[in-house]
Every structure is written in C-alpha cells, then in structure tokens.
Amino acid sequence: MPVMSQSQIDDLLHSNTICRLACVDYEGAPYVVPCWFTYADGGFYVVPRAKSAWAGYLKNDGRVFLCIDAEDGRRVLVKGNAKVVEEPNVGGKWVAIGQEMAQRYGGAAGLKYLETTMQEPRWLFFIEASEMLSSTGGWAQKYKHYDW
C-alpha cells in the first residue's frame, strides 16, 4: 500500500483521530487502550489519569505500539518507548497538553470536561518513536476479491 507523504502524516497526527496504544501489562500480556495524544517535540504525549491501569503498565515497561488510523484508511503505526515526564499531579506540564487535546478532540465540550476534572491527578508520558510506518489506506490487492 502507498506510504503517506510527510505533510499527510503531519495532517493525520494533528487531527482528532484517536490513538490505540498497546503496552505490556504486569504479567507480560498485551494491553490496548484508545486514547487522546499530542504529537509534538518529535514524539507523542499521552496523559492518563493517575488510576489508569495502563499508566502503571507504561511506568513499569515503556515498550509501546501506537495505531493511529482514520476512518478513510490513512494510518500511522508507531513502535516506541514511553518515558515518564511527570508523576501524577494536578497542575503540571500536562495541563497545557491536556487543554490542547481537549480542544482538538472535543471543542468547547472537551474543554468543559477537562475543566471539571482538573482536580484529578494525571500522568504525563512522552513516547519516542523508534519506527514509524504509514499507509494511505485501502486493502492489499489479495484481499479485495476475498469472498467473505
């Protein structure tokens, strides 16, 4: 399948497309969660709540895989490593990143949601990509004629 140009990748990574983040749980099993993200500083920021299971998994083992796929078939796949930027708090660097995400994903309603939950501590993780693959979408030719 055709790869995306850098401008197409940037457009997708700055859209309101949800990320599916895969990490490793405490027993070594895969764990996948949908989440908001911000692409900045050459990587990806995610802001889980303090009690989110996946925040503990990321702190314990930073290996991650992201699937960012739009409904039109555009896709960016990312293999990387998550690092703790901030432990759970209520007023750190995550706030500005959270506000950007809330605005991009939810508009005024997203900002209102964030405002009403600001007292809930959140983590800030930065995911550095070791590999990034992209596709403009569609199915490989061998699947187009498959009789489902």
Side-chain angles (χ1 to χ4, degrees), residues 78-101:
V78 179
K79 181 179 177 181
N81 191 50
K83 295 182 181 175
V84 175
V85 175
E86 292 179 342
E87 295 275 340
N89 67 76
V90 293
K93 181 178 177 180
W94 73 263
V95 173
I97 293 168
Q99 288 171 329
E100 182 277 328
M101 285 187 220

Side-chain angles (χ1 to χ4, degrees), residues 69-143:
D69 57 337
E71 289 184 18
D72 64 6
R74 293 174 299 144
R75 178 178 316 117
V76 173
L77 302 174
V78 179
K79 181 179 177 181
N81 191 50
K83 295 182 181 175
V84 175
V85 175
E86 292 179 342
E87 295 275 340
N89 67 76
V90 293
K93 181 178 177 180
W94 73 263
V95 173
I97 293 168
Q99 288 171 329
E100 182 277 328
M101 285 187 220
Q103 174 68 42
R104 184 164 39 93
Y105 284 100
L111 288 170
K112 179 141 180 77
Y113 158 78
L114 182 63
E115 182 181 312
T116 61
T117 63
M118 288 293 286
Q119 75 285 358
E120 298 180 28
R122 288 175 170 82
W123 294 82
L124 178 61
F125 287 92
F126 182 75
I127 299 166
E128 184 176 348
S130 57
E131 293 180 42
M132 268 178 66
L133 302 171
S134 69
S135 169
T136 57
W139 288 89
Q141 190 62 35
K142 67 181 179 180
Y143 298 115

Side-chain angles (χ1 to χ4, degrees), residues 2-17 37-40 42-44 66 68-70 72-78 104 129 131-137:
V3 298
M4 295 167 57
S5 69
Q6 188 59 52
S7 67
Q8 289 173 313
I9 291 170
D10 289 343
D11 286 347
L12 179 60
L13 297 182
H14 291 95
S15 72
N16 64 350
T17 302
F37 71 94
T38 291
Y39 181 67
F44 302 81
L66 309 177
I68 303 156
D69 57 337
D72 64 6
R74 293 174 299 144
R75 178 178 316 117
V76 173
L77 302 174
V78 179
R104 184 164 39 93
E131 293 180 42
M132 268 178 66
L133 302 171
S134 69
S135 169
T136 57

